[in-house]
Amino acid sequence: MSAHATGGDALRDLGAIFLVAVALNYPWELAHGPLFVGMDSFRAMGWHCFVAALGDGVLVWIIHAAGRAAFQRADWFVRPGFAGYAVMLGMGLALAVGVEWIAVHTLHRWAYTARMPLIPGLGIGVTPVLQMLVLPPLVFYLAAKTVIQCRWR
C-alpha cells in the first residue's frame, strides 16, 4: 500500500484476495474432484470442494503474507514484477507439495483414484500442485484490478 493507505485498505485488499481466490479455486476443485476417492457425485463434491476452496483462499493469504514480508509492502501484488511472480510460484509450489504430502501420506485426509496423475517420487497429485501454480498469479491479478478500482473511486 502507499504511504497514504489505511488499515481499512489492507483489510479490503485481503478480503478481495480471499474472495477472488475462493471464486477461482471452487471451479478447479469441482473439475478435479472426480480424481479423489469418494467424489464420484456432484452432490458429494459440492460441499467438500467449497470447503477446499476456502482452504485454498487461506493458502493464497499465506502467499500474500510471504510477499508482504519479502517486499515490505502490502500491495506488492499490484505490480509484482519478476520477483513477485517468483514468490507466488515458489510459495505456491512449496505450499501445494507440503499440504498434499501431509494430507495424503501423514494424515490420510484424502486419497486419489487411479485416474489422478502422480508426481513421480512424491506420490502426490499433479492437479493440486498445478492449481497452486496457475491460480495464485491470476487471483492476485484480478484482486489487484479490484483494489485499484476501489482506490480510485
Side-chain angles (χ1 to χ4, degrees):
M1 284 185 278
S2 70
H4 304 298
T6 66
D9 289 336
L11 288 176
R12 184 175 49 220
D13 293 358
L14 289 173
I17 290 167
F18 187 77
L19 290 174
V20 172
V22 172
L24 292 181
N25 278 281
Y26 186 59
W28 186 295
E29 293 290 349
L30 290 171
H32 79 168
L35 302 175
F36 292 83
V37 172
M39 298 294 148
D40 45 5
S41 74
F42 185 78
R43 185 177 173 102
M45 286 192 308
W47 176 251
H48 290 288
C49 290
F50 179 68
V51 172
L54 294 174
D56 297 331
V58 172
L59 294 179
V60 174
W61 268 349
I62 293 169
I63 296 170
H64 177 268
R68 183 178 181 146
F71 304 116
Q72 298 297 300
R73 288 184 16 248
D75 69 347
W76 65 272
F77 63 96
V78 173
R79 287 184 268 330
F82 179 81
Y85 286 111
V87 167
M88 290 178 209
L89 295 174
M91 285 299 297
L93 180 64
L95 287 168
V97 169
V99 166
E100 286 299 307
W101 175 264
I102 291 167
V104 171
H105 298 296
T106 304
L107 300 177
H108 307 286
R109 295 279 300 162
W110 55 78
Y112 308 124
T113 67
R115 295 182 307 241
M116 172 67 85
L118 299 178
I119 297 174
L122 293 178
I124 59 173
V126 169
T127 64
V129 174
L130 282 177
Q131 180 178 2
M132 278 296 120
L133 293 174
V134 171
L135 293 186
L138 183 56
V139 167
F140 287 117
Y141 172 79
L142 293 173
K145 295 294 182 198
T146 301
V147 166
I148 290 167
Q149 286 178 351
C150 287
R151 296 228 176 105
W152 287 101
R153 285 186 178 171

